[in-house]
Amino acid sequence: MRIAAALLFLFTGLNAQANVSWHTITPEIQFLKQQSKLRFYDSNQVLIEGKKCALMVDASGNFAEVESLAKQLKQRLKTPLCYLVASHFHDDHLLGLAVLQAEFPDAKLIVHQQVASEFAAMQQALKDKLDGYEKSIELSYQRLANQPEDQQTIWRDKLTLAKQRLFRWRKLSLNPPAISVSKQTSLELGHYPITLTPYRAHTQGDLTITADHGRVLVGADIVDSLPYPGHGELENWLATLKKIHNNTELVTILPGHGEQLNTAELAKPIAFLNAIITLTKAQPDKSVEELIELFPEQIKQQYQLDEIGNQAFTMFLEAGLKKAKLSK
């Protein structure tokens, strides 16, 4: 691994162009969308602001980006940031909330009950991530001597910055949730009600948020155009997607990764998950490698539109077939 690759997580945010772009969905809802090249590797976020309170859904897995976001929030918000919501436990949605907790200590963390019950593991994941950063820095120092002489000063300065950031992030802690959601729950943000709904779909502990009188769904990874099925309850997930697909009140769906959607566009992830379930049931004795070859070509073609999409599709399909075989 080159130094540049090892330290990407620490240097993102140095460039003038941020990874996320802000999109106004309604006057109360901002969709913070990751740039296309990161669409499978880091999460979108959603900001909802009523007359009295604001709520942020998820945080990037890149802590430098979250620090930048915290500065933007302090400039943009007209009301206190009262709530932080983790849509599920994956690192690129949850761990960056530790940065926002440090910057907005009065904000209450909201998670699914299952995530709350396993929160010690989430805190350990934060420590493991920072340990990984430290190892990358150490490795990069070892490889510094192999860089061209005219590049060594540049990389030494970058490594110094990386160490400063790591020292700062070592002080972070992922504070336990204040609200654990086990059933549909309403919150009032100030003349602006929202509804949190728990699911077992993409993971054992997913949360979605319905806003704008049922017209907007913050669906996170449950509604991603290309679903990652490695940790999913596949049949529950498929049933959930079909239910959302049939919701005639919904206008806008905000996924955890990729572009905003409408209900008709959920036909694509429905077909993907349905094909995984159907194929593994019909060919129970086939290996994952054999099932990949049998996967419907028309579904493959919808996802293999560029190199990043092709790589993600191959990885996600393999993970989904393994999960489906284990679930039998």
Side-chain angles (χ1 to χ4, degrees):
M1 181 187 297
R2 292 178 302 171
I3 290 180
L7 294 178
L8 177 64
F9 52 82
L10 289 168
F11 297 151
T12 304
L14 290 178
N15 298 327
Q17 183 179 3
N19 281 343
V20 298
S21 54
W22 290 66
H23 302 266
T24 299
I25 305 302
T26 71
E28 298 83 11
I29 302 174
Q30 297 289 326
F31 180 45
L32 284 64
K33 185 176 72 68
Q34 282 290 343
Q35 57 182 298
S36 180
K37 69 180 182 180
L38 295 176
R39 67 188 186 273
F40 299 113
Y41 306 107
D42 205 354
S43 67
N44 301 324
Q45 294 92 55
V46 178
L47 174 66
I48 306 176
E49 186 169 16
K51 299 296 185 185
K52 294 182 180 179
C53 269
L55 174 149
M56 173 62 69
V57 183
D58 290 336
S60 167
N62 184 312
F63 291 178
E65 279 292 306
V66 186
E67 288 181 331
S68 175
L69 171 63
K71 292 178 182 177
Q72 293 178 66
L73 288 174
K74 289 177 180 180
Q75 294 171 351
R76 284 174 173 260
L77 288 175
K78 302 179 183 66
T79 61
L81 183 61
C82 298
Y83 303 105
L84 300 170
V85 178
S87 64
H88 58 288
F89 75 88
H90 286 158
D91 290 6
D92 58 325
H93 296 260
L94 174 62
L95 297 189
L97 291 175
V99 178
L100 293 182
Q101 285 183 319
E103 296 290 341
F104 299 93
D106 293 332
K108 296 179 179 178
L109 179 61
I110 303 175
V111 301
H112 188 287
Q113 185 181 51
Q114 183 69 27
V115 175
S117 70
E118 300 175 357
F119 207 72
M122 316 307 156
Q123 292 166 323
Q124 183 61 44
L126 175 62
K127 181 181 182 300
D128 292 344
K129 182 166 186 169
L130 295 174
D131 288 345
Y133 288 178
E134 185 168 3
K135 289 177 182 177
S136 292
I137 293 172
E138 290 171 358
L139 180 61
S140 296
Y141 268 114
Q142 293 171 19
R143 294 180 174 176
L144 185 62
N146 297 326
Q147 296 296 305
E149 192 168 325
D150 63 341
Q151 291 291 311
Q152 288 194 18
T153 299
I154 296 172
W155 279 106
R156 192 173 286 108
D157 290 345
K158 289 186 176 184
L159 285 166
T160 298
L161 174 60
K163 287 176 65 177
Q164 290 171 350
R165 283 179 166 172
L166 180 60
F167 180 77
R168 186 165 69 245
W169 295 341
R170 281 291 190 189
K171 298 176 182 178
L172 295 174
S173 61
L174 196 58
N175 300 322
I179 300 174
S180 155
V181 179
S182 60
K183 60 183 180 180
Q184 197 168 80
T185 301
S186 295
L187 284 179
E188 174 57 60
L189 302 182
H191 303 292
Y192 197 81
I194 63 165
T195 301
L196 296 116
T197 304
Y199 290 100
R200 294 180 183 271
H202 171 64
T203 69
Q204 292 283 329
D206 300 312
L207 290 179
T208 67
I209 294 177
T210 306
D212 195 36
H213 305 287
R215 291 187 289 265
V216 176
L217 176 70
V218 183
D221 288 15
I222 289 178
V223 297
D224 284 353
S225 183
L226 175 59
Y228 176 72
H231 300 141
E233 292 285 331
L234 299 189
E235 300 215 12
N236 283 352
W237 191 353
L238 182 59
T240 298
L241 277 175
K242 289 179 177 178
K243 184 177 179 181
I244 297 170
H245 180 261
N246 293 330
N247 185 340
T248 57
E249 295 182 3
L250 269 179
V251 176
T252 302
I253 299 172
L254 303 178
H257 300 266
E259 305 284 340
Q260 68 184 70
L261 307 166
N262 57 46
T263 53
E265 290 170 306
L266 292 182
K268 192 172 174 181
I270 287 172
F272 179 77
L273 291 178
N274 186 61
I276 289 174
I277 294 168
T278 301
L279 190 58
T280 52
K281 285 183 176 179
Q283 305 281 352
D285 298 325
K286 298 285 187 184
S287 68
V288 169
E289 291 73 21
E290 290 171 318
L291 292 173
I292 289 173
E293 293 300 317
L294 294 171
F295 199 77
E297 192 65 31
Q298 66 271 24
I299 298 178
K300 288 183 183 179
Q301 291 173 355
Q302 293 182 68
Y303 291 109
Q304 297 174 320
L305 302 178
D306 59 16
E307 183 180 353
I308 294 171
N310 186 49
Q311 290 174 352
F313 173 79
T314 301
M315 181 172 63
F316 287 20
L317 176 58
E318 181 179 358
L321 291 168
K322 287 180 178 178
K323 179 66 176 179
K325 286 178 72 68
L326 289 172
S327 300
K328 287 192 302 180

